[in-house]
Amino acid sequence: MATTVEKLKALSVRQLWAELIMCGEKTVEYRSQPTKVRGRVYVYASLTKPDATDAKIRREVGCSWNDLPKG
């Protein structure tokens, strides 16, 4: 019996932005390279700390950067 292996596509985004994408508040993501990927794309919250201050993160999503899921 043959099985089909589906390749999963993921977009790595720094946290705060990943949270806003998942909440539907951030609907556009600009990148320097164009892509032909269409369809389901998973969002990966990277471990890199954002340029935003913790105060801005609290205003935007209601919690600290340390409390957001990452990795």
Side-chain angles (χ1 to χ4, degrees):
M1 177 185 241
T3 58
T4 304
V5 177
E6 178 185 345
K7 290 186 178 183
L8 302 176
K9 304 291 183 185
L11 177 66
S12 180
V13 184
R14 290 182 182 182
Q15 206 24 297
L16 170 58
W17 309 124
E19 189 71 17
L20 294 175
I21 289 170
M22 296 307 295
C23 292
E25 294 182 34
K26 182 175 183 349
T27 58
V28 176
E29 175 69 16
Y30 293 101
R31 297 288 172 127
S32 60
Q33 296 291 317
T35 181
K36 294 180 181 179
V37 174
R38 299 294 180 263
R40 183 176 299 231
V41 176
Y42 295 90
V43 176
Y44 170 79
S46 74
L47 296 171
T48 306
K49 196 160 186 173
D51 296 335
T53 64
D54 203 51
K56 178 179 179 177
I57 294 170
R58 284 184 187 277
R59 278 195 311 273
E60 294 287 333
V61 295
C63 62
S64 169
W65 182 81
N66 291 325
D67 297 331
L68 293 170
K70 294 170 281 306

